[in-house]
Structures are given as C-alpha cells and as structure tokens.
Amino acid sequence: SNGLVLIDISTPATPSLIGTYDSSGAAYKVSLSSDENTVYMADYYSGLVIIDISTPATPGLIGGYSTSGISYSLEVSSDNNTVYIADDSNGFLIVDITTPGSPKLIGSYDTMGRARGVEISDDGNTAYISDGSDGLIILDITNPATPNLIGTYDTSGNAYGLELSIDGNTVYLTDNSDGLLIIDISTPATPSLIGSYNTTGSAKEVEISSDGNTAYVSDHGDGLVIIDITTPATPSLIGTYDTTGFVSEVELSSDENTAYLSDGSGGLII
C-alpha cells in the first residue's frame, strides 16, 4: 500500500493489521480528528487526503485537495475546520475543511525555501514552518486569506521538522545534518538560537516530553536519539536505538514510556 495503514498495537509485541487505504500519492504525515473517526493525510504528490476510519477495517475516502507542490506535513485546527499544509516548493497552504468532501483553499504564503513541517500556535494566529535551506519561518495568520511574515531564523542545515513548547516560546527544530536546534521565539520578529545537539545522522522529526525536559529525534539512518534538554543551552545525549531502516517519524505513547517509529523499509518499530 502507498497510503494509510491501520495497525492494532493493543499487544505491542505482536502488532496486527486492521485495514488499509491505498492513496494515489505516498503518505507522509497523518493527523486524527478529535473524535478519531477521520484521518487527514499529507499525501506527497496528491496533496491533502481525508479518510473515514470510523470502520477501521474498511477506510473510505471523504475528500481531498490536490496541491501544486509536494505535501510533506500538515496540522489540523482544534475545531477540525482547517488544515495547514507544508507543501514543499509551493510553500504554506491554509485549507478550509468545514465541508470535508470539498476542501477549499483559503490562503497561502510562498516561502523562499521548501516547506517541510508546520506547527500552529494554540490561539491559531501564528504558523511556524520549517523551510528547508531557509530555516524557520514565522507567519501571522490572524487573517488566513493574507498570511504575513513576522520573522525568520536561517539555520545552517536543511530544516525539516519542528515542535512547539507548551508555553509557545520555544521551537525545537530538526535541521537534518545539523541535528536538533532549540530556538527562542518569545520575540517572534527576532528568533534566536538557545542551544543545539548535532546528532550523528540526519535529524528528521522531533517529539518533546510533556515536562519539556526530553527530546526524541528520528535520526534517519541512525535510528532514535533521546536528548536531555533540561538545560536548553547545553543539550546532552541520554540514549539511542539504531533500527534496521531509516527512521522518519517518532510518536510517543500517552504515558511517554513507548516510542512508535516509522522506519522506512523496516516498517513500524515499537
């Protein structure tokens, strides 16, 4: 399958397949609706795909929006009415999904680089975009029809994934060969580097523990890297787990005792 795969992990040692939906693209990122009946998928060349998983064994297409770029990542608003898409060379897109069967473009911002990741502030007014060779881009999206640039931080690598701190004052950004960067965004017009940890691989995505003290980085060919960020100016290595494939994504369980890794040809690693 080139699309969505639903897996039962109630017994983690023996995961089992529940259902699949073979999309026309190549699924890169998924997000669940609040009721967990709908999946929103960034489907690479196919853009946004919205899938009904209320019957997990037989997922079905609800609707989609074909973008002109390559959809790498997305975030869904808390009311499930808007999707924010990082669309590579096409930049940042805001799509209205109030009617999921017929999504409509609301607004866009053509970033200078290649948009790979997106995070939205809790109030829905600010977008943070990892923009490849152009680093971090911060946009005012108070008026979604006309996003405006607030500030930038040009990293030395190729910005890929990012995560916001709970207080919204810090961005944790994966910068490929330059590892994990910790950036102060308390003054969005002038972001500044707090600290960094150069992983041995190519840092792709990051998850932050709920207490803000630990970063879990998918380090591509070098697997999972766990970093102590209690003192953000001097992050330090806690541990690593090298998989057989190329880790592109990491998610934590609700109790933060388990990591779920997408491992390329290695599949799902728990």
Side-chain angles (χ1 to χ4, degrees), residues 216-257:
Y216 302 84
V217 176
S218 54
D219 206 33
H220 212 48
D222 282 17
L224 174 67
V225 178
I226 304 174
I227 301 168
D228 182 347
I229 54 171
T230 310
T231 305
T234 56
S236 59
L237 184 67
I238 297 174
T240 64
Y241 184 84
D242 193 3
T243 65
T244 58
F246 294 87
V247 180
S248 59
E249 184 70 59
V250 55
E251 289 287 335
L252 293 178
S253 60
S254 56
D255 64 6
E256 300 184 359
N257 288 330

Side-chain angles (χ1 to χ4, degrees), residues 1-23:
S1 173
N2 290 320
L4 178 69
V5 178
L6 305 180
I7 300 170
D8 182 346
I9 54 170
S10 53
T11 305
T14 56
S16 59
L17 184 67
I18 298 174
T20 64
Y21 180 85
D22 193 359
S23 63

Side-chain angles (χ1 to χ4, degrees), residues 70-74 84-88 91-93 115-118 129:
I70 298 173
S71 294
Y72 273 97
S73 187
L74 53 74
Y84 307 92
I85 301 174
D87 203 41
D88 199 57
F92 171 68
L93 308 180
R116 294 294 173 91
V118 58
I129 300 155

